[in-house]
Amino acid sequence: MDTRKKKLTVNTAMCDMTRLTEESLSAYEAIEINAATIALSPRAKELASRLSLTMNAAQIIQVEEGTQISIKNGKAEITGNEAPASPTMLIVNGKLIIHPDSAEALKGYASISVNGKLLYPRSLGPLLNRVQVQGLSMSYPDDAILVEGRLRVDELFVLRAKGSLYFVMGDLVMADESLDIKPLAEKRTRFSVKNAYIAQKHLKDALPLFDDKTHITTIPEGFRFVEEENTLSAHMISRFGKHLFFPGKLTIPRDQENALRQLEGLQVADSIKLPETLLDTLIALDPQYHKLITYKGLLVTDKSSLTISQALIAQNPEGLTVEDCGVVTLDADISAQEILDKLTIRDCGTILCQPDQEMALIQIADDVGSITVANADESTQPENKEDSNHEKINTAYYQF
């Protein structure tokens, strides 16, 4: 019976070591942690120094003893009614909204880390010294009416609008050409918004409602504003017509060539994403767009975690494009050449890989948070008795 202590390798996006104990450490001969973020308490840091422990991390955060770690994915809010019961380290992957009545609640957080977007009232700016933001930070007037997401100015909004400032987190849309917007000026309604999409017919009457910081895009006459969908289809054309205006991104799937050929006018404020095989058909339409993105093979998006296997690559000989995924793990049997020839990875959080895959990933990965590599000395060894004595963990979150 093999009585030797095991070696532990942890590949993760977030490693919580605040509750590290002597017992948990004594179970292993050595520990290696590969992570985007590691959280340590002073006691855990002292315990870790007693063992052969290797930490490879983009960020190491030290917090007080007993601090709770809370991870929120997507949207999170801090209000005066929800102060944490104990000191808390808050990590938000997405959007954090802080409300004006939150001064006391903020004191309960040991630290706040936002990977995405932070929105806070201007009066609380001095209290945010413990907040770290990787992304966009935006303040709003305390007395403004806060509108989350996109604001569509329609007949009902015009009737109910107040003579106040509306702070719009998303875009503002004034696309209905038959709408009477003059009552908004009479009520002294105002808008603070980054981007506004306004029908050409309303442009003159709408301009006084915005300050000079608003970027205004006009919607040409005869074009339909499409906000409910961002993937081209025959159903979309039958519903909205052949002249389409998209305020954001448009994706054209590889099986929608006929739908693309039916269009007579196309304007996209952001990007058009389509397979390389349909590029010539799109160019013939003479569309207007901000950015053109092509992809090869199968497109996989918006997965919290994804494992790319040899079988998945084999099933898609044209290639595989992975976008907007949290943690992407590559099987060890995928060669560097297959990565170069078949994979495109962009706008993802963390990629977990083997040492012989790293250089190929660096070449093909675009706008990823981190590429985390397993231990080079041991991952390259063939399976033998040493492998049974080595515990390896691949996960998005790991807590000791």
Side-chain angles (χ1 to χ4, degrees):
M1 181 178 179
D2 192 347
T3 59
R4 293 175 301 165
K5 291 183 179 181
K6 290 186 176 182
K7 297 178 181 179
L8 173 65
T9 298
V10 178
N11 300 312
T12 183
M14 172 67 194
C15 184
D16 179 2
M17 300 180 66
T18 59
R19 290 167 180 76
L20 196 65
T21 64
E22 195 163 355
E23 290 75 19
S24 63
L25 285 175
S26 62
Y28 299 98
E29 176 188 351
I31 298 176
E32 178 188 26
I33 301 171
N34 303 303
T37 302
I38 294 176
L40 276 171
S41 65
R43 180 172 179 273
K45 184 178 181 181
E46 191 274 330
L47 285 174
S49 66
R50 302 180 189 176
L51 186 74
S52 176
L53 190 148
T54 303
M55 293 185 290
N56 303 312
Q59 182 182 35
I60 297 179
I61 301 175
Q62 183 166 314
V63 296
E64 293 301 318
E65 201 73 38
T67 299
Q68 303 292 319
I69 294 184
S70 176
I71 300 177
K72 304 288 186 181
N73 294 315
K75 174 188 168 186
E77 297 183 72
I78 297 178
T79 68
N81 300 323
E82 299 179 355
S86 59
T88 299
M89 174 183 174
L90 176 63
I91 300 174
V92 178
N93 299 307
K95 176 168 50 178
L96 174 62
I97 302 173
I98 300 177
H99 292 273
D101 59 350
S102 305
E104 289 301 316
L106 285 171
K107 297 178 182 179
Y109 290 95
S111 69
I112 298 175
S113 179
V114 180
N115 300 307
K117 183 176 182 179
L118 170 67
L119 187 70
Y120 64 93
R122 289 172 186 166
S123 65
L124 297 185
L127 301 180
L128 302 183
N129 56 309
R130 287 173 291 178
V131 180
Q132 296 181 336
V133 181
Q134 297 292 328
L136 176 65
S137 180
M138 181 185 302
S139 65
Y140 63 91
D142 289 49
D143 59 349
I145 298 175
L146 193 60
V147 180
E148 296 185 35
R150 174 173 289 157
L151 173 60
R152 182 150 195 157
V153 178
D154 55 15
E155 183 178 3
L156 180 60
F157 179 87
V158 172
L159 290 173
R160 298 175 63 180
K162 297 177 174 59
S164 302
L165 173 66
Y166 286 81
F167 187 92
V168 186
M169 294 171 56
D171 301 329
L172 183 143
V173 179
M174 199 178 290
D176 184 356
E177 295 181 349
S178 64
L179 187 66
D180 181 11
I181 66 168
K182 291 180 180 179
L184 294 176
E186 296 169 359
K187 295 179 182 181
R188 297 184 181 277
T189 302
R190 293 164 295 126
F191 300 103
S192 177
V193 61
K194 184 177 180 180
N195 295 302
Y197 298 93
I198 301 176
Q200 181 71 42
K201 178 182 176 181
H202 297 316
L203 187 60
K204 182 178 179 180
D205 291 331
L207 284 178
L209 305 177
F210 303 88
D211 59 34
D212 293 338
K213 296 179 181 179
T214 299
H215 179 267
I216 294 177
T217 302
T218 56
I219 305 170
E221 289 189 32
F223 276 68
R224 290 291 301 275
F225 187 89
V226 184
E227 61 180 330
E228 300 91 346
E229 305 176 48
N230 59 6
T231 301
L232 186 66
S233 66
H235 172 72
M236 178 186 291
I237 295 174
S238 65
R239 180 182 176 188
F240 296 104
K242 298 181 179 181
H243 293 79
L244 304 179
F245 183 100
F246 293 86
K249 301 176 181 180
L250 172 65
T251 298
I252 303 176
R254 54 183 176 179
D255 61 350
Q256 292 299 318
E257 181 175 1
N258 289 336
L260 179 59
R261 292 184 181 277
Q262 291 181 52
L263 289 179
E264 296 177 0
L266 178 63
Q267 292 197 20
V268 181
D270 198 328
S271 63
I272 299 177
K273 184 186 302 179
L274 79 165
E276 296 173 348
T277 54
L278 296 184
L279 183 57
D280 290 342
T281 304
L282 175 71
I283 298 303
L285 180 62
D286 192 23
Q288 293 188 27
Y289 53 85
H290 176 68
K291 186 178 181 181
L292 186 62
I293 303 171
T294 61
Y295 65 89
K296 57 184 179 182
L298 176 67
L299 179 64
V300 181
T301 64
D302 300 318
K303 304 291 184 183
S304 58
S305 62
L306 173 71
T307 297
I308 301 177
S309 64
Q310 182 64 250
L312 184 60
I313 292 179
Q315 291 168 5
N316 295 277
E318 294 181 359
L320 180 68
T321 300
V322 178
E323 294 183 345
D324 299 315
C325 293
V327 179
V328 179
T329 303
L330 269 69
D331 277 358
D333 57 352
I334 298 175
S335 69
Q337 193 60 49
E338 286 175 312
I339 293 172
L340 293 172
D341 293 342
K342 297 294 184 67
L343 289 185
T344 299
I345 302 178
R346 53 198 178 204
D347 300 319
C348 293
T350 299
I351 303 176
L352 306 179
C353 69
Q354 300 300 315
D356 58 349
Q357 299 169 333
E358 181 184 17
M359 292 308 298
L361 283 170
I362 290 174
Q363 295 180 63
I364 63 97
D366 182 28
D367 197 17
V368 299
S370 64
I371 298 176
T372 301
V373 184
N375 183 279
D377 294 332
E378 300 188 16
S379 62
T380 56
Q381 297 297 320
E383 290 189 10
N384 51 33
K385 291 183 178 180
E386 283 296 317
D387 293 320
S388 64
N389 208 48
H390 188 177
E391 183 179 352
K392 299 179 183 180
I393 298 174
N394 296 321
T395 182
Y397 172 79
Y398 186 81
Q399 181 184 49
F400 277 91

